[in-house]
Amino acid sequence: VEILVEMVDNQAKANIHSAESRKFIAPLGLTVFVWIFLMNFMDMLPVDGLPVLWQVVTGDSHAYLRVVPTADLSTTLGLAFAVLLLRFWYSVKIKGAGGWAHELVSAPFGTSKNPIFALILAVVNVLMQIIEYVANTVSHGMRLFGNMYAGELVFMLIALMGGAAALSLSGVLLPVGHVIAGTIWTLFHILVITLQAFIFMMLALIYLGQAHNAH
């Protein structure tokens, strides 16, 4: 726990230069990392475990249950959108509404003393800023979703190997392959779920750090 807290604190100091902001953002980063890691780690549970339990609880033999929250776009894009709202909040808090508005119309291509050119550049700058915010947010959520969704599918495909043995006499070795492939993928996937939680946290810190910096 101490190593984890120190790691997040160091990353927060590297990206957020305001000590006042770090009082909120550093604990937030730690919460995001642990929360996403635990949601990702649900992929380690048996594929049929929670769905069968859900069917018992609801009494519906056809009850539908997706176990891994981060393998659903609703979760990952929701988290990414929350980071976007925080970026807006800190942009206004640090730079003021006027300062942030000026940044939106003057970055990245600057402005001009000529009123016509200044208006054209302002429109282009605003469009570029919108594209940047949208692209950052969508990629932030899609990256986590894509990796976890793919991992979930691989676990399901491996699980089918055991079930396929019942369909033919030649498939008697499939359960053995199921155990071997499932073990290998589980060990590899532990690295994936940890890395994806770390990447999401780091991007959140980087984006919030950018909200503190002037263009």
Side-chain angles (χ1 to χ4, degrees):
V1 171
E2 185 177 348
I3 292 173
L4 183 59
V5 171
E6 186 176 356
M7 180 269 292
V8 176
D9 188 53
N10 289 335
Q11 295 299 335
K13 289 178 179 177
N15 291 282
I16 314 294
H17 302 303
S18 169
E20 183 65 27
S21 296
R22 284 201 304 271
K23 291 180 181 179
F24 173 77
I25 295 177
L28 174 71
L30 180 61
T31 303
V32 166
F33 177 83
V34 174
W35 189 20
I36 292 179
F37 174 82
L38 291 176
M39 288 194 291
N40 291 351
F41 199 81
M42 293 179 73
D43 219 356
M44 301 291 104
L45 298 174
V47 169
D48 294 330
L50 288 183
V52 169
L53 179 62
W54 180 248
Q55 291 173 7
V56 172
V57 172
T58 60
D60 183 0
S61 60
H62 300 289
Y64 176 75
L65 176 65
R66 287 283 299 284
V67 174
V68 187
T70 45
D72 191 314
L73 268 177
S74 301
T75 302
T76 59
L77 286 182
L79 290 168
F81 184 70
V83 173
L84 177 65
L85 293 180
L86 282 174
R87 292 175 70 184
F88 291 159
W89 165 256
Y90 277 107
S91 293
V92 174
K93 181 180 179 181
I94 300 299
K95 305 164 188 174
W100 185 45
H102 179 265
E103 186 177 274
L104 290 176
V105 299
S106 61
F109 297 121
T111 185
S112 172
K113 294 181 180 180
N114 186 304
I116 297 177
F117 287 150
L119 178 61
I120 294 174
L121 285 172
V123 173
V124 173
N125 286 331
V126 169
L127 290 176
M128 291 298 294
Q129 292 274 3
I130 292 174
I131 292 173
E132 179 182 352
Y133 279 118
V134 172
N136 286 345
T137 303
V138 172
S139 64
H140 199 190
M142 287 290 291
R143 181 182 291 103
L144 176 59
F145 159 76
N147 281 276
M148 296 313 302
Y149 184 71
E152 187 181 48
L153 286 181
V154 171
F155 272 122
M156 291 179 178
L157 291 173
I158 292 174
L160 289 175
M161 294 175 65
L167 301 179
S168 66
L169 293 176
S170 61
V172 292
L173 292 180
L174 283 176
V176 178
H178 173 199
V179 173
I180 295 174
T183 301
I184 293 174
W185 182 247
T186 299
L187 295 174
F188 175 75
H189 203 57
I190 290 174
L191 299 177
V192 174
I193 64 178
T194 306
L195 182 62
Q196 290 306 313
F198 177 77
I199 290 175
F200 194 96
M201 178 205 71
M202 279 301 304
L203 287 174
L205 294 178
I206 290 171
Y207 292 152
L208 293 176
Q210 290 177 347
H212 285 69
N213 301 327
H215 281 279

